[in-house]
């Protein structure tokens, strides 16, 4: 009986690992969509107005079914990269000037930009350590003694399009770690370390006050989008508070709504 029990446990363990690998694997249509985007569109291989390969050609290239190819192409269409004409084919559209992204994805502004084929730079970086009671926005970390505040601008073609301030508690990442490894995104650091599972984000339209005008280099009462976000780990603990102010003509956020059932 003992050998049988051992084999049973071994089989369950192997099966569990296999299932985990299957669950972690991205859908084929997503892989194809990203490959088409990077290899054909963002690389410049096809210019705006050029025709995409036909469904039949893509089926042969990827060894995938027409249904899978159509789903991948629909994803490119939904994101504004191609135009599909039934019975005629698909054409590459001019690159959008705004950075597009779905709100259901936990990715950084840097990733938003890369996926849109837009270069976004980081400027005016300030990283400081604070006691929790030195900044009212850090009060959300109830058990933390200290936090690191990271503020910076985001620029496209040399113009400021965003002002972002992040707060990270000491127990998540030290000020020294953040200083050594920060390259533009706190969220990217947390994702690389499997420290971020999900976030709750509120978007509010605001008018730039004098302080925000200074960061954006303007003296006008510019309309902005404010994103207030709490990012949590898989236990529900808050690992990052982020406040971002964005120029609305530089960022477009999309939310796909589905019917019930």
């Amino acid at each position: 009986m003992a050998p049988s029990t051992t084999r049973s446990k071994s089989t369950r363990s192997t099966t569990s690992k296999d299932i985990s690998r299957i669950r972690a694997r991205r859908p084929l249509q997503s892989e194809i969509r990203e490959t088409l985007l990077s290899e054909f569109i963002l690389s410049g291989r096809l210019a705006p107005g050029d025709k995409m390969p036909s469904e039949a050609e893509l089926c042969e290239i990827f060894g995938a079914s027409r249904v899978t190819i159509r789903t991948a192409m629909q994803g490119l269409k939904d994101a504004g990269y191609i135009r599909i004409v039934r019975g005629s084919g698909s054409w590459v559209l001019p690159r959008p000037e705004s950075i597009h992204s779905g709100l259901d994805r936990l990715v950084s502004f840097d990733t938003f930009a890369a996926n849109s084929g837009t270069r976004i730079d980081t400027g005016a970086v300030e990283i400081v350590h604070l006691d929790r009671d030195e900044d009212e926005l850090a009060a959300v970390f109830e058990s933390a003694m200290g936090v690191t505040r990271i503020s910076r601008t985001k620029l496209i073609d040399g113009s400021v399009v965003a002002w972002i301030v992040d707060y990270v508690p000491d127990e998540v990442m030290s000020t020294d770690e953040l200083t050594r490894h920060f390259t533009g995104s706190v969220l990217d650091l947390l994702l690389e370390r499997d420290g971020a599972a999900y976030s709750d984000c509120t978007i509010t339209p605001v008018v730039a006050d004098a302080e925000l005008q200074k960061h954006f280099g303007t003296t006008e009462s510019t309309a902005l989008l404010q994103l207030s976000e709490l990012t949590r780990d898989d236990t529900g603990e808050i690992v990052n508070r982020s406040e971002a102010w964005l120029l609305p003509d530089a960022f477009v956020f999309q939310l796909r709504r589905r019917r019930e059932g």
Side-chain angles (χ1 to χ4, degrees):
M1 292 299 291
S4 175
T5 301
T6 301
R7 282 197 301 272
S8 177
K9 290 181 178 179
S10 176
T11 300
R12 287 198 299 271
S13 176
T14 302
T15 301
S16 176
K17 291 178 181 178
D18 289 341
I19 290 174
S20 295
R21 283 197 294 269
I22 291 170
R23 287 176 176 171
R25 191 171 59 200
R26 298 178 65 196
L28 179 58
Q29 58 265 31
S30 297
E31 296 286 357
I32 293 174
R33 175 193 177 280
E34 295 303 320
T35 300
L36 289 172
L37 180 60
S38 61
E39 297 296 328
F40 286 89
I41 300 176
L42 299 184
S43 67
R45 181 175 173 181
L46 294 179
D50 287 348
K51 191 174 184 179
M52 293 286 290
S54 68
E55 275 189 8
E57 290 172 323
L58 293 176
C59 287
E60 184 175 350
I61 291 171
F62 292 102
S65 69
R66 283 184 178 271
V67 172
T68 299
I69 294 299
R70 285 173 185 167
T71 302
M73 295 291 281
Q74 185 64 41
L76 291 176
K77 177 181 179 293
D78 292 343
Y81 289 106
I82 64 173
R83 175 172 62 95
I84 299 176
V85 179
R86 188 183 296 266
S88 298
S90 305
W91 284 264
V92 178
L93 291 173
R95 193 74 51 76
E97 295 182 0
S98 300
I99 296 174
H100 288 242
S101 178
L103 280 175
D104 58 337
R105 301 174 59 212
L106 183 60
V107 295
S108 67
F109 293 113
D110 299 59
T111 301
F112 286 165
N115 288 345
S116 296
T118 302
R119 175 176 174 175
I120 191 167
D121 297 310
T122 302
V125 178
E126 182 183 57
I127 302 177
V128 297
H129 186 267
L130 305 168
D131 290 336
R132 185 171 62 88
D133 58 3
E134 287 187 72
D135 189 318
E136 62 180 10
L137 294 181
V140 68
F141 305 107
E142 296 180 354
S143 61
M145 295 298 294
V147 299
T148 302
R149 183 178 66 201
I150 309 98
S151 58
R152 68 277 191 195
T153 55
K154 289 292 182 180
L155 304 93
I156 296 177
D157 295 332
S159 297
V160 176
V161 297
W163 167 250
I164 305 173
V165 184
D166 282 278
Y167 298 83
V168 181
D170 290 347
E171 58 265 31
V172 172
M173 206 176 303
S174 69
T175 303
D176 180 62
E177 285 182 288
L178 285 162
T179 301
R180 284 188 288 112
H181 298 293
F182 179 77
T183 58
S185 169
V186 171
L187 180 57
D188 282 344
L189 280 176
L190 293 171
L191 290 171
E192 286 171 9
R193 301 178 179 212
D194 293 326
Y198 64 95
S199 73
D200 297 306
C201 181
T202 301
I203 302 180
T204 308
V206 298
V207 175
D209 58 17
E211 182 68 19
L212 288 170
Q213 289 173 23
K214 180 178 68 175
H215 295 306
F216 282 89
T218 179
T219 57
E220 300 177 357
S221 299
T222 308
L224 301 171
L225 293 176
Q226 181 177 354
L227 273 65
S228 299
E229 188 168 20
L230 295 179
T231 301
R232 302 175 187 267
D233 62 16
D234 53 13
T235 69
E237 288 294 317
I238 300 173
V239 295
N240 180 33
R241 175 174 190 159
S242 180
E243 298 291 331
W245 292 265
L246 319 174
L247 286 179
D249 57 350
F251 296 87
V252 176
F253 297 100
Q254 301 164 326
L255 179 64
R256 174 167 293 181
R257 302 174 68 197
R258 297 178 175 85
R259 62 182 294 176
E260 293 184 345

